[in-house]
Amino acid sequence: MSEAERPPHAAARVAPHVAIVIVNYRTPDLALRCVETLAAERVALPGLEVVVADGGSGDGSAEKLAAGLADPRFQGWARLLPLPINGGFGWANNQAMLRLLQQDDPPDYIHLLNPDTEIAPGAVALLAQWLAAHPRHAAVGSQLFRPDGATVGSAFRFPSIGREFLRGSATPALGRAFGIRPTLVEDAGDPDWVTGASVMLRAEALREVGLFDDGFFLYFEEVELMRRLRAAGWGVAHEPQSRVFHVGGAATGVNVANVARRPAYWFNSRRRYFVRTGGTATLVAATLAWMAGRALWKLREALRLTRGQPAAAPEATDHLRLSLAPRPGDRRPTVARWNDPPDQPPAWMETAR
């Protein structure tokens, strides 16, 4: 939709129209608490609306959310979107975004927010202000914090063969020696991608490049989206003043930073990402690079040179099983377009059959 096609009253607004999408999966109490923390943002953003999408929880979450959102405090600005299946993070967000972008008064910006988050005052308004001031940026992400106040990595560089080697070796000094910049961005400047736990997206950019690729079930979908945005000439940024407290993994039951073994869908998403963005050769090279790094770690460990440093998660067996060859559908882009009809099944379900 071009600016000329927007409803007349949209151009007359002073504050941007922001919609927040929260995808819940079996964490209704956290999701409702998240919505509560958003109420104060309506002072700076009077047109703020919130869609809580329940991703087919099947445990009474949708009913609990419906009852909670019926509270008079939420009337007129927060609503429930019950979905029939657990179609994954990208698909569930797409279902809400499709409806928002196709409504009579579509938002200027869509803020994706995890249900296991609580925002600091002004966090949403700061992201909206940042995008308003930077019209060629498509995405801006918040700074995440643990409940104890410790910072959580929120801005990153794209996965690469070299970074997979560093990840397997769990030895940052090798990155400095070989000139491979780390995945985590800690200095000033635009990152390649930002966390999907709290990111605001420009609707105009989504109309241009598409929404999430729903061939991903969970993980890497926001990385792929931001790679598409950057390839189309849009910027991605991190706004550290937008502070969001995050209980990592509560919404999925898996915190990949701390889990002893990653779930199979993490490897499936990683495989699809490398195939979609670099082809089979890149997938194989990245996997072999991780294994080489892991072998180096094991050698250093045998020589007692690791000095208590944490090792990478033991992924070798899963990589041999899931990461050395593309699966059917990995190469096929299945990016949702803003004007697609909602409620189509996710592509990953088709390829999983």
Side-chain angles (χ1 to χ4, degrees), residues 113-140:
L113 190 61
N114 273 22
D116 50 355
T117 58
E118 295 184 15
I119 67 160
V124 178
L126 280 167
L127 297 182
Q129 291 164 10
W130 204 99
L131 284 181
H134 299 82
R136 284 306 301 168
H137 276 69
V140 59

Side-chain angles (χ1 to χ4, degrees), residues 72-95:
R73 294 175 299 162
F74 305 136
Q75 292 302 295
W77 63 278
R79 64 185 187 272
L80 174 66
L81 173 61
L83 299 171
I85 59 172
N86 177 16
F89 176 83
W91 180 83
N93 275 293
N94 281 353
Q95 298 313 300

Side-chain angles (χ1 to χ4, degrees), residues 196-262:
S198 177
V199 59
M200 189 172 288
L201 303 169
R202 187 182 299 275
E204 177 188 354
L206 293 175
R207 292 188 190 95
E208 178 183 333
V209 308
L211 312 184
F212 285 118
D213 181 334
D214 62 24
F216 296 92
F217 171 68
L218 185 63
Y219 297 111
F220 288 89
E221 61 278 279
E222 75 267 48
V223 192
E224 191 277 335
L225 171 59
M226 293 182 207
R227 193 176 189 106
R228 264 187 288 127
L229 288 167
R230 282 202 164 277
W234 292 96
V236 174
H238 174 232
E239 173 49 272
Q241 299 306 310
S242 173
R243 299 162 58 91
V244 173
F245 293 86
H246 184 219
V247 184
T252 63
V254 177
N255 185 338
V256 294
N258 300 319
V259 72
R261 184 175 181 179
R262 301 179 192 269

Side-chain angles (χ1 to χ4, degrees), residues 9-173:
H9 57 277
R13 283 191 301 262
V14 176
H17 179 184
V18 175
I20 298 177
V21 176
I22 300 169
V23 172
N24 172 75
Y25 185 72
R26 299 184 175 180
T27 57
D29 294 325
L30 290 174
L32 289 171
R33 176 57 189 156
C34 180
V35 175
E36 287 180 12
T37 67
L38 295 170
E41 298 297 293
R42 299 179 65 227
V43 175
L45 300 168
L48 181 72
E49 58 181 312
V50 175
V51 178
V52 181
D54 181 66
S57 295
D59 65 344
S61 287
E63 293 78 9
K64 190 165 189 176
L65 288 168
L69 294 174
D71 188 302
R73 294 175 299 162
F74 305 136
Q75 292 302 295
W77 63 278
R79 64 185 187 272
L80 174 66
L81 173 61
L83 299 171
I85 59 172
N86 177 16
F89 176 83
W91 180 83
N93 275 293
N94 281 353
Q95 298 313 300
M97 290 193 287
L98 288 171
R99 288 165 168 84
L100 287 164
L101 292 171
Q102 294 172 25
Q103 68 188 19
D104 290 338
D105 184 17
D108 302 301
Y109 312 136
I110 299 177
H111 183 189
L112 308 184
L113 190 61
N114 273 22
D116 50 355
T117 58
E118 295 184 15
I119 67 160
V124 178
L126 280 167
L127 297 182
Q129 291 164 10
W130 204 99
L131 284 181
H134 299 82
R136 284 306 301 168
H137 276 69
V140 59
S142 302
Q143 175 62 54
L144 302 185
F145 295 84
R146 295 191 181 93
D148 64 4
T151 59
V152 177
S154 304
F156 310 94
R157 297 181 179 91
F158 288 133
S160 68
I161 295 169
R163 292 189 189 100
E164 283 297 281
F165 171 71
L166 292 184
R167 195 173 65 82
S169 71
T171 309

